[in-house]
Amino acid sequence: MLARTCLRSTRAFASARNGAVHFSKRAASSSSSGAAADAAPVGLNVAAAAATAVAAGSIAWYYHLYGPTAHAMTPAEEGLHPAKYPWVHEQMFKTFDHQALRRGFQVYREVCASCHSLSRVPYRALVGTILTVDEAKALAEENEYDNEPNDEGIIEKRPGKLADYLPAPYPNDEAARFANNGALPPDLSLITKARHGGCNYIFSLLTGYPDEPPAGAQVGSGLNFNPYFPGTGIAMARVLYDGLVDYEDETPASTSQMAKDVVEFLNWAAEPEMDDRKRMGMKVLVCTTVLFALSVWVKRYKWANVKSRKIAYDPPKPAKTRE
Amino acid sequence: MGFWDTIADMVEAATPWVTAEAEAPTQESTEETTVEATKEEETATKEAAEEPAEEEEEEEEEEEEDDEDDEDEIVDPKEKFEEECRESKQCSGVKHHFDECVERVTNASEQDGAKEDCVEEFFHLAHCATQCAAPKLWSALK
Amino acid sequence: MNIANSGLYNTLFRKNYTFLGLVFAGAFGFEMFYDTRMNKLWDSINRGRQWKDIRHKYAEEE
């Protein structure tokens, strides 16, 4: 291919330089390409050598960059994809189960909150979805927050109120890393949106710790084996064990029950507007369905005349003058 | 779940001659429990009919479940269902591969250090087991 | 019946401001009707799941 391209270009140059000669040659011999190749053999050889050098050079460069070993992606690096669980609150027109949210909040408070912050959720958001006003106020007052500066410019502490946000377990990321062997427990406010797989992933992660890692698996020091975590080495140890919390509604607190509840709660924390959004969506869908049906009917009504008329071509009778 | 369930839900909710109940209403707790209990019995008998060999096992598990509610001894349903799934016919292939791999790797590590691990086989087994247990688990959890 | 001579036409449609008023009032009324109906439907789809269904367990009425 390359050679042929080169040939074509030399031929073009030749014709540009002395077209008259070329034409005469062409007239003399039927094979024009052979004649043109004879015109510049040195140039052709140089071009071929240069192309070979470039190709060999780029291969050498690639090898220099990436080396002799090929690193393919392993399933362990990708992490096990979670099974799809039939979450009721993920159905199109279903709200969160607020009883489950309440249980999930209890699990968060008693288990997760010692390491994970939930910094984007204020107490007021809990009112009317998970807690009553009195419960939320009582909960807020258990914690102290910075007050406005007083007359002397000193910032005193005051008990929390509904407008305050849930307190974080650590003052900053550095403190969190220091307390957890260098691993940073992520903020859980938006975690179901922030992780590929969402609710299924977090549920699987919480419940998926095997009793012992499979044979031959390498687990780094200070890490735990979890198939769902990309790389399989996760700093968080298994935290949910059967009967860890006592639910106020007497639900048996099995590991998976707690995980399910806390995941639903975290989904609420990430999408507190979901209930209203779905309700509005249902209204919109019903309304637009009716309007669409109406518009289809109107179109058919208006087009009925046009569609049902028949246009016939009635050719003029040939004049019978001759014959 | 999905689109047609939603439509069915809406139709059910809109028709005046049925009472649509998304979740068991809280007031009628006694009635609901009896209904659930009969349902459990039904499913149990069905399963027993399908697999007569495992009849006794099933019954034992039913008893265990009943114990759960009464005592503080809690068995995680996820563990239970996934164990059943791992032993089931559906996952026998991947389980066979996993067991074989474990055996091979442990033998190799005893001799001169294992060159491979069973993570991939474990993944396949776990995938099969969770996939199979997911719907059962959700019907068991609240 | 000729629609141009009917009472409906003369009272409501003839003057632009009455017609506009009718449109606005109709929209208002329909919105109220539609919203309450759909909210009822929503509550019956999600019975037992929403906060208002479980609130009575936790709220202390004073």
Side-chain angles (χ1 to χ4, degrees):
Chain A
M1 190 67 213
L2 180 73
R4 206 181 297 165
T5 322
C6 293
L7 281 179
R8 206 176 293 145
S9 62
T10 46
R11 196 163 60 200
F13 279 130
S15 67
R17 252 183 281 133
N18 41 9
V21 180
H22 191 79
F23 277 122
S24 64
K25 261 187 188 170
R26 192 164 201 181
S29 133
S30 61
S31 154
S32 63
S33 64
D38 292 340
V42 181
L44 260 187
N45 287 344
V46 169
T52 312
V54 167
S58 60
I59 290 171
W61 184 49
Y62 187 91
Y63 188 82
H64 167 71
L65 264 187
Y66 298 107
T69 47
H71 292 286
M73 185 80 175
T74 61
E77 281 173 76
E78 174 78 17
L80 177 54
H81 285 215
K84 201 174 174 324
Y85 289 99
W87 298 94
V88 179
H89 75 262
E90 285 183 349
Q91 287 175 31
M92 208 168 169
F93 291 148
K94 291 286 190 183
T95 63
F96 289 116
D97 183 358
H98 286 246
Q99 191 75 60
L101 293 187
R102 208 178 149 90
R103 290 196 300 266
F105 181 53
Q106 188 186 350
V107 175
Y108 166 74
R109 229 174 55 218
E110 293 182 12
V111 183
C112 317
S114 56
C115 293
H116 289 278
S117 57
L118 196 65
S119 59
R120 282 156 206 273
V121 177
Y123 288 105
R124 61 186 155 79
L126 301 168
V127 175
T129 46
I130 292 170
L131 303 174
T132 64
V133 184
D134 298 335
E135 285 171 330
K137 274 182 182 167
L139 199 64
E141 281 163 8
E142 286 175 11
N143 299 293
E144 286 192 324
Y145 290 85
D146 282 348
N147 207 343
E148 301 265 300
N150 63 7
D151 291 346
E152 296 165 14
I154 296 163
I155 295 174
E156 289 172 342
K157 293 287 184 182
R158 61 164 170 78
K161 42 189 185 182
L162 288 182
D164 287 317
Y165 286 77
L166 294 183
Y170 304 109
N172 49 50
D173 284 1
E174 283 70 20
R177 280 186 194 280
F178 181 70
N180 289 290
N181 259 334
L184 175 67
D187 183 79
L188 296 184
S189 310
L190 294 164
I191 203 75
T192 57
K193 280 181 174 172
R195 291 292 177 270
H196 185 75
C199 290
N200 293 322
Y201 168 70
I202 295 165
F203 178 83
S204 301
L205 190 81
L206 289 175
T207 55
Y209 289 91
D211 295 333
E212 54 187 34
Q218 302 294 319
V219 184
S221 68
L223 297 182
N224 302 278
F225 182 85
N226 191 313
Y228 297 97
F229 192 72
T232 68
I234 186 170
M236 181 175 79
R238 179 178 171 175
V239 284
L240 294 177
Y241 289 96
D242 292 338
L244 188 62
V245 300
D246 285 324
Y247 281 135
E248 57 185 357
D249 59 354
E250 315 263 296
T251 309
S254 59
T255 302
S256 42
Q257 178 71 53
M258 284 186 287
K260 181 178 182 238
D261 290 338
V262 83
V263 166
E264 189 158 349
F265 169 73
L266 291 176
N267 200 164
W268 170 83
E271 298 179 85
E273 81 293 346
M274 193 197 79
D275 291 358
D276 282 334
R277 171 161 60 77
K278 283 185 179 171
R279 192 179 58 195
M280 187 56 87
M282 183 182 73
K283 287 177 187 176
V284 168
L285 281 183
V286 171
C287 204
T288 45
T289 309
V290 172
L291 290 181
F292 178 70
L294 205 64
S295 71
V296 168
W297 178 81
V298 168
K299 184 260 163 188
R300 290 170 68 90
Y301 180 78
K302 296 281 185 193
W303 278 72
N305 264 337
V306 185
K307 289 276 192 183
S308 59
R309 92 184 147 189
K310 183 177 178 184
I311 302 173
Y313 175 60
D314 197 9
K317 301 271 182 318
K320 291 183 180 170
T321 46
R322 278 181 281 180
E323 272 183 336
Chain B
M1 63 184 284
F3 190 68
W4 289 113
D5 280 4
T6 307
I7 298 288
D9 270 351
M10 284 182 60
V11 169
E12 209 180 319
T15 44
W17 55 84
V18 291
T19 50
E21 292 176 350
E23 199 107 311
T26 46
Q27 299 91 330
E28 308 162 317
S29 54
T30 50
E31 285 180 23
E32 282 302 316
T33 46
T34 51
V35 169
E36 274 172 19
T38 48
K39 259 186 208 164
E40 272 179 18
E41 280 171 20
E42 275 175 20
T43 51
T45 47
K46 243 187 236 166
E47 280 168 13
E50 280 167 9
E51 304 155 31
E54 294 176 25
E55 196 172 357
E56 288 176 14
E57 256 183 40
E58 292 284 344
E59 276 175 13
E60 276 169 26
E61 277 155 13
E62 282 296 313
E63 280 165 22
E64 274 175 19
E65 269 186 5
D66 292 348
D67 288 350
E68 261 174 51
D69 300 335
D70 301 333
E71 295 163 29
D72 286 332
E73 199 77 9
I74 297 170
V75 178
D76 188 4
K78 186 167 188 276
E79 300 278 320
K80 202 187 79 184
F81 289 129
E82 286 185 3
E83 187 58 40
E84 284 172 21
C85 282
R86 244 172 273 151
E87 302 300 333
S88 71
K89 202 174 177 186
Q90 188 182 351
C91 298
S92 59
V94 286
K95 177 147 177 38
H96 172 74
H97 281 300
F98 178 66
D99 290 343
E100 212 173 61
C101 173
V102 168
E103 199 177 330
R104 191 171 62 232
V105 169
T106 38
N107 284 344
S109 63
E110 277 165 11
Q111 288 161 12
D112 54 345
K115 285 276 192 311
E116 58 164 349
D117 57 49
C118 296
V119 172
E120 203 170 329
E121 286 79 2
F122 177 80
F123 275 20
H124 291 153
L125 180 59
H127 176 78
C128 176
T130 50
Q131 204 81 9
C132 146
K136 296 178 199 168
L137 177 62
W138 242 244
S139 57
L141 292 180
K142 199 168 167 183
Chain C
M1 191 180 99
N2 189 0
I3 211 167
N5 293 332
S6 69
L8 188 71
Y9 176 81
N10 280 328
T11 48
L12 292 177
F13 295 166
R14 186 149 197 158
K15 293 269 185 262
N16 187 46
Y17 60 83
T18 53
F19 184 61
L20 202 65
L22 180 75
V23 168
F24 275 58
F28 192 75
F30 176 75
E31 169 99 41
M32 270 168 55
F33 166 77
Y34 185 73
D35 260 3
T36 44
R37 284 304 307 178
M38 292 307 277
N39 285 344
K40 270 216 186 86
L41 176 68
W42 180 253
D43 290 346
S44 75
I45 291 177
N46 290 293
R47 185 177 304 174
R49 298 180 67 80
Q50 300 188 81
W51 170 249
K52 58 186 163 195
D53 300 322
I54 60 167
R55 180 181 177 277
H56 62 92
K57 287 192 221 167
Y58 306 108
E60 292 151 20
E61 307 294 343
E62 61 265 17

